[in-house]
Amino acid sequence: MTDWERVRQELKEAGYSGFEFDSGDTAVPGLSGEWVSGNIPREGGLKHENQPLRIRILDALPGGDTVETDPENAPESIRNIATEHGLEVVIFSVSADEARIALCDPSKHDL
């Protein structure tokens, strides 16, 4: 069983405050069961300049706000916390300055 409060605390210590616990079913593919989610700055693999050319073009369009949602684009510290707790990373929305990310318990749903 995942200690969600510990996961949230580790995220906060890594500089990502504001992650909240939630559960249930959602319209986001791969996001159901239990998870913590929060907004993070677009950094590392999520930054515009680190995306493939076709994604950078879509991202630059008005209202585009596009990134590849490969979990490997999430910051390494978030991926490490997810791995430590046996969680999966889901990137499910993005704006010009930030992305919304969830750490999900893969035993509770199909990814």
Side-chain angles (χ1 to χ4, degrees):
M1 183 158 193
T2 303
D3 182 350
W4 293 108
E5 191 55 41
R6 181 170 173 214
V7 172
R8 288 180 59 223
Q9 181 61 36
E10 289 180 22
L11 288 163
K12 185 176 181 179
E13 289 170 2
Y16 302 104
S17 60
F19 273 75
E20 297 294 330
F21 174 80
D22 205 349
S23 64
D25 294 320
T26 73
V28 177
L31 186 57
S32 63
E34 296 180 332
W35 65 88
V36 291
S37 64
N39 293 330
I40 65 165
R42 284 183 65 176
E43 58 188 42
L46 295 172
K47 290 178 88 173
H48 176 80
E49 58 270 15
N50 294 333
Q51 294 290 307
L53 179 59
R54 65 181 173 76
I55 299 295
R56 285 192 311 238
I57 292 168
L58 292 172
D59 194 32
L61 295 172
D65 300 331
T66 304
V67 297
E68 281 194 330
T69 58
D70 184 335
E72 289 298 313
N73 286 332
E76 184 177 5
S77 57
I78 290 177
R79 293 191 326 263
N80 290 342
I81 292 168
T83 299
E84 179 183 330
H85 293 277
L87 303 173
E88 297 289 333
V89 176
V90 177
I91 301 168
F92 62 95
S93 70
V94 65
S95 70
D97 299 324
E98 61 186 17
R100 188 150 182 85
I101 291 185
L103 279 64
C104 311
D105 185 341
S107 66
K108 304 290 184 189
H109 57 83
D110 296 325
L111 286 175

